[in-house]
Amino acid sequence: MTQTTDATPGPGTAGEPGHEPSSRSRSGSRRTRVNRAWFVAAVTFVTIIGAAAFRSLPGLLIDPLHQEFGWSRGTIGAAASINLALYGLTAPFAAALMDRFGIRRVVAVALTVIALGSGLTVWMTAPWQLLLCWGLLVGLGSGSMALAFAATVTNRWFTARKGLVTGILTAASASGQLIFLPLLSWIVEEHSWRPAAVTVSLAALAVVPFVWLLLRDHPADVGAKPYGATEFVPKPEPVTGAARRTVSVLFKAVRTGPFWLLAGTFAICGASTNGLIQTHFVPAAHDHGMPITAAASLLAVIGVFDVVGTIASGWFTDRFEPRRLLAVYYALRGISLLFLPMLLAPTVHPPMLFFIVFYGLDWVATVPPTLALCREQYGEDSAIVFGWVLASHQIGAALVAFLGGVARDAFGTYDMVWYVSGALCAVAALMALVIRRRPVVGTVAVAVA
């Protein structure tokens, strides 16, 4: 009789022993059926891959725009800087907007804005147009497609395996880089930068139908439970005052020490990845005589190992202390950056390949433990808090994207940028270790509040 009850038999069978085998059969069928949450995660993964095209292009544009228009690398870096800053500053508001209007609407509009901004660049003739199209429009659109999107999907659709799912969705961006970097670098090399910009625009538009038709805002929309949940979770009412809530959550978070430590470490993370390697690695390698396509291919290989490293980091985060994981990740990244100036050469050699593998495993492995710490410290507000932490990530990236270009114009080399970034990673490792662990009771109190 207990087995019959656990199997949740259909109407009219409860308590009837004769139906017990049939109930177990139905239960077994349910256990083998793939939970709807994994389909939503798959759609989110594909969406982030498609949107990753725009993140692959900035580093490939620096030399072509410099040669065609005579714009300084600092000017071009300023557009990338605005893009990265808005990417971060938009993220917390996007998380609140998803609570108000739903994931599908926000993401579909964001992809459309990205397509518009990238497509308009083909007609630009002045630096302010680059700042407007690539900086403002693509920055705003990409901010709404930031990791807050992955965090929102994870929080709504999963109660178990959150670290693993976060790692998988974070790796989607690297997967997109893997797909688009070789293609875009070949287009830039063979057909100039304008066809590459159009390719990015079309890739963003192509994802919109997938989002609108396949993505769902909440498990309750399809009568399902979040993965790992024991009870049905009703869909909450739309949250009004999205901007006000986003700012109020920030005001509460800034009064806590862990927020500043998380924001500081993540700012250094952005400075040493998006702002540094993603923006300046290709032109830096080209300075040493390496062809653009070869340098872009190395970035794509980083994307390959980033997928492995980020998914593994999500698995580790479900099992080990996130603070210690962050400290190890930042320390290893800093060491690798200190060696990079000695490895750049006209050709790809084994030590450079070792750097690419080593650095790729660590690229965004910091995201799952950082998001886990946000959940631990801030409960139900964790997605918005993580959005603000991500904003600091992108501000750090924006500063290095701009200052890296200025340093290259001033010194004729990127060496100083690599060394400073390596030292900053050592600081981030120490900051991660001093984040205090929140007691379980306190965490529950935050979540209930």
Side-chain angles (χ1 to χ4, degrees):
M1 292 297 295
T2 301
Q3 291 174 332
T4 305
T5 303
D6 291 341
T8 316
T13 64
E16 299 178 19
H19 288 279
E20 187 173 333
S22 174
S23 298
R24 278 202 299 264
S25 177
R26 278 194 297 270
S27 177
S29 175
R30 284 175 186 161
R31 288 186 186 122
T32 58
R33 188 181 303 158
V34 178
N35 190 286
R36 181 62 179 264
W38 292 109
F39 286 105
V40 173
V43 174
T44 304
F45 187 90
V46 172
T47 303
I48 296 174
I49 284 179
F54 65 83
R55 297 187 62 195
S56 304
L57 194 56
L60 304 178
L61 292 179
I62 293 179
D63 284 335
L65 293 180
H66 174 70
Q67 293 170 5
E68 180 171 339
F69 298 107
W71 301 339
S72 70
R73 290 176 176 83
T75 298
I76 302 168
S81 178
I82 293 172
N83 178 294
L84 291 168
L86 288 176
Y87 178 95
L89 293 173
T90 305
F93 294 96
L97 286 172
M98 289 176 189
D99 288 341
R100 174 66 179 88
F101 298 106
I103 298 173
R104 285 198 303 170
R105 291 189 181 95
V106 173
V107 174
V109 170
L111 288 167
T112 304
V113 172
I114 291 169
L116 179 65
S118 180
L120 288 176
T121 58
V122 300
W123 291 289
M124 66 183 179
T125 57
W128 69 266
Q129 295 166 345
L130 177 64
L131 300 177
L132 174 64
C133 294
W134 202 261
L136 180 63
L137 292 178
V138 177
L140 289 173
S142 61
S144 300
M145 285 291 302
L147 291 174
F149 170 40
T152 302
V153 170
T154 303
N155 288 345
R156 290 187 183 184
W157 284 87
F158 292 85
T159 59
R161 307 296 187 194
K162 284 188 174 183
L164 176 62
V165 175
T166 300
I168 292 172
L169 296 182
T170 302
S173 180
S175 300
Q177 177 175 290
L178 166 65
I179 293 170
F180 286 105
L181 256 176
L183 172 64
L184 293 175
S185 64
W186 177 82
I187 293 174
V188 170
E189 191 83 5
E190 298 294 328
H191 305 286
S192 185
W193 61 271
R194 287 182 177 84
V198 172
T199 301
V200 170
S201 181
L202 294 177
L205 283 177
V207 181
V208 174
F210 287 95
V211 171
W212 195 255
L213 297 175
L214 301 177
L215 194 62
R216 291 295 179 266
D217 294 329
H218 195 276
D221 290 341
V222 292
K225 295 184 294 186
Y227 179 81
T230 57
E231 297 179 355
F232 181 81
V233 179
K235 184 176 181 178
E237 293 296 323
V239 180
T240 58
R244 183 172 61 253
R245 182 188 174 208
T246 301
V247 174
S248 67
V249 168
L250 173 63
F251 284 158
K252 287 191 296 184
V254 296
R255 292 196 288 268
T256 65
F259 174 81
W260 293 104
L261 291 171
L262 288 168
T265 56
F266 225 39
I268 294 172
C269 178
S272 56
T273 53
N274 300 64
L276 182 65
I277 296 295
Q278 192 164 51
T279 304
H280 294 293
F281 178 80
V282 171
H286 192 55
D287 284 346
H288 287 76
M290 185 179 294
I292 290 178
T293 50
S297 296
L298 289 177
L299 267 186
V301 174
I302 286 180
V304 176
F305 289 95
D306 180 24
V307 173
V308 177
T310 307
I311 294 175
S313 178
W315 188 86
F316 290 143
T317 302
D318 286 332
R319 290 161 175 80
F320 299 104
E321 174 58 51
R323 295 155 191 79
R324 294 180 181 176
L325 289 176
L326 283 179
V328 171
Y329 296 158
Y330 285 121
L332 293 177
R333 183 184 299 175
I335 292 171
S336 66
L337 288 173
L338 293 177
F339 281 97
L340 181 57
M342 295 179 283
L343 303 178
L344 292 170
T347 58
V348 179
H349 47 83
M352 172 58 78
L353 291 176
F354 179 79
F355 167 84
I356 294 298
V357 173
F358 189 86
Y359 189 87
L361 291 171
D362 201 350
W363 178 272
V364 286
T366 56
V367 173
T370 300
L371 184 50
L373 290 171
C374 285
R375 291 195 196 101
E376 175 187 305
Q377 297 287 335
Y378 303 105
E380 292 296 324
D381 291 331
S382 62
I384 296 177
V385 173
F386 180 71
W388 285 113
V389 171
L390 178 63
S392 71
H393 180 282
Q394 296 306 114
I395 290 172
L399 286 173
V400 172
F402 172 66
L403 294 177
V406 172
R408 171 61 179 80
D409 289 334
F411 302 112
T413 178
Y414 283 102
D415 288 359
M416 184 61 67
V417 184
W418 308 128
Y419 294 137
V420 171
S421 297
L424 287 174
C425 287
V427 174
L430 295 175
M431 292 172 66
L433 288 175
V434 300
I435 299 174
R436 292 183 179 180
R437 185 166 190 172
R438 192 178 185 90
V440 173
V441 175
T443 304
V444 173
V446 171
V448 172

